[in-house]
Amino acid sequence: MTQHADSPPTDAPSPEHERGAPTPGAPGVGRLVGLDLARGLAVFGMYAVHVGPAPGQDGVIGFLMELAQGRSSALFAVLAGFAVALITGRRTPKTGLAGRQAVAKVIIRAVILIALGTALTLTGTPVVPILAFYGLFFLLVLPLYRLGAKPLALIAAGWALVGPQLLYVLKPVVGDRVFPTFGQADGIVSLLFTGGYPALTWVPFVIAGMAVARCDLAVTAVRIRLALTGVALAVTGYGGSWLALRLVPGAAEAVRKAEQGSGMSSMSSMPSVSPDSIGIFGDSPAGMLAAAPHSEATPSIVGATGVAILVITACLAAMDTFPRLRRLAKPVIAVGSMSLTAYVYHIVAIWLLNTEEATVQRLYILLGFIASVTVLATIWSRFFQRGPLEWLMGRATEMARRVQ
């Protein structure tokens, strides 16, 4: 069985945000709900990648499946940065005892996510769980939590430019891409360099999320600038890749052959996919110009970051501006409010049901996954503020109060 990656955690699910009494610098209720809406959409996109129909087919379904590839996991990673900022002080980073306890909270969450992600990876499902990578992302960005929006944005941009090139140079040393099979787990080399979500090329998403969280999202002008930034990044990433592949002699043909050879239009659980044949891990240097999902190339990182910022700003604005829409979107918001639970739920379901071997149409499988998690989340949210795993995570992080 071949394993492939997309989305988390996915993440890719982000841990639950703080839901207690408002604190200085904390976003308003509408903006917190907007984050849950974005997480819910990311969950559905992740389900589409892992159990949905193959992308690239004609029609609306094919377009939506293609749209989810790579971008749902990138959205989770950007939201991870938002979660770090919420825990450590969104607009104004916490200092003193509060700061030390916030850092402890992030570390505890990271350790739990690494352990939980490792356990899911050992099941050998046909998808690559992002949670272990996600936990490592938390640890790697933690030293940056006191920085403001502009320094964080600059670091994210610089990392997106340098990280993929560095990974390409290190490839002869660290080896080719690795996807663990049953009973295997990602080691430190896989988590950092060769796995489904190598930290060297995925951390920019998290830092970008921290930068967005540092902005005053209550101000309409700020939201507009963020939306325009998202558009600019998407155009630069995807448009720049399209242009570069046509200006560099032989580049487009080399990438086309790599994609045809792998049967790849994206990274999913489809057995025909071989994601180690394009992008940074491909045989041709032209892969560094590819904006394909999980190519780990700079254009892919830049473009997916832009899409994630657009989705987040749109969700935040919609939830603050249209109360009626908030009521209509309540089931999706419920899923987003327990995205960690929803993520683990779908990995376990894939493992138990062996969906890769299912004969029923994959669209029906996808609809079943979405309907079941939506119903469960909606019912649960009527009685509890947090999802079951989110509640356990919250209890575990209470140990941070012991930090003096």
Side-chain angles (χ1 to χ4, degrees):
M1 181 183 296
T2 302
Q3 286 192 324
H4 306 291
D6 201 324
S7 141
T10 216
D11 221 202
S14 57
E16 84 285 354
H17 51 256
E18 304 299 330
R19 293 176 177 272
T23 57
V29 173
R31 288 180 287 286
L32 286 177
V33 172
L35 291 180
D36 281 338
L37 176 61
R39 290 191 184 101
L41 295 175
V43 167
F44 293 158
M46 169 187 61
Y47 284 15
V49 171
H50 291 160
V51 300
Q57 55 187 304
D58 294 333
V60 176
I61 298 298
F63 171 76
L64 292 176
M65 296 304 105
E66 186 66 42
L67 187 63
Q69 305 298 321
R71 298 173 187 89
S72 56
S73 47
L75 176 56
F76 267 114
V78 173
L79 286 167
F82 220 114
V84 172
L86 285 173
I87 295 168
T88 58
R90 194 179 73 83
R91 293 294 312 286
T92 304
K94 298 175 182 177
T95 58
L97 177 59
R100 292 192 294 273
Q101 291 180 343
V103 167
K105 279 188 176 183
V106 174
I107 293 173
I108 293 170
R109 289 170 185 264
V111 172
I112 293 174
L113 289 172
I114 291 172
L116 182 56
T118 299
L120 292 177
T121 302
L122 289 172
T123 64
T125 60
V127 297
V128 178
I130 196 176
L131 293 186
F133 297 89
Y134 203 82
L136 181 61
F137 299 163
F138 269 46
L139 296 177
L140 291 176
V141 303
L142 191 53
L144 307 177
Y145 87 91
R146 292 187 178 183
L147 298 180
K150 288 184 179 179
L152 286 168
L154 290 174
I155 293 173
W159 198 318
L161 291 173
V162 175
Q165 280 57 248
L166 181 58
L167 180 57
Y168 186 82
V169 171
L170 292 175
K171 189 172 65 169
V173 178
V174 299
D176 293 326
R177 200 156 214 172
V178 175
F179 295 103
T181 56
F182 179 77
Q184 296 179 335
D186 291 291
I188 188 63
V189 173
S190 176
L191 293 173
L192 286 171
F193 306 110
T194 61
Y197 307 90
L200 190 58
T201 54
W202 277 77
V203 166
F205 293 121
V206 184
I207 301 175
M210 295 173 67
V212 172
R214 290 282 186 260
C215 298
D216 188 355
L217 299 173
V219 178
T220 302
V222 173
R223 289 176 176 172
I224 293 174
R225 286 198 295 269
L226 281 173
L228 293 176
T229 299
V231 171
L233 290 174
V235 171
T236 300
Y238 298 122
S241 172
W242 182 89
L243 187 62
L245 289 174
R246 284 154 181 79
L247 293 179
V248 176
E253 180 66 15
V255 171
R256 184 184 65 80
K257 288 182 178 179
E259 292 181 353
Q260 287 181 343
S262 66
M264 176 174 184
S265 60
S266 61
M267 294 184 73
S268 72
S269 58
M270 299 302 293
S272 63
V273 176
S274 180
D276 55 351
S277 61
I278 72 163
I280 297 296
F281 291 99
D283 297 327
S284 171
M288 299 177 70
L289 303 175
H294 296 279
S295 68
E296 312 305 341
T298 295
S300 177
I301 297 171
V302 172
T305 300
V307 172
I309 292 174
L310 272 174
V311 171
I312 292 171
T313 52
C315 289
L316 296 175
M319 292 300 96
D320 267 355
T321 307
F322 304 107
R324 181 173 297 179
L325 178 60
R326 188 187 304 178
R327 290 193 293 271
L328 292 175
K330 198 170 183 178
V332 183
I333 294 168
V335 174
S337 70
M338 53 186 77
S339 55
L340 177 58
T341 299
Y343 183 80
V344 174
Y345 165 81
H346 103 288
I347 294 292
V348 173
I350 290 172
W351 176 50
L352 293 176
L353 300 177
N354 195 16
T355 59
E356 193 176 29
E357 304 297 331
T359 57
V360 68
Q361 288 190 16
R362 299 188 69 88
L363 178 59
Y364 296 148
I365 297 176
L366 171 60
L367 293 176
F369 269 64
I370 291 176
S372 61
V373 76
T374 301
V375 170
L376 291 172
T378 301
I379 294 174
W380 184 275
S381 65
R382 287 180 177 271
F383 302 97
F384 306 99
Q385 272 194 323
R386 296 176 174 179
L389 293 184
E390 285 74 13
W391 179 82
L392 290 173
M393 182 76 80
R395 292 298 300 269
T397 57
E398 287 180 1
M399 293 186 295
R401 296 178 180 176
R402 301 178 183 178
V403 174
Q404 299 299 320

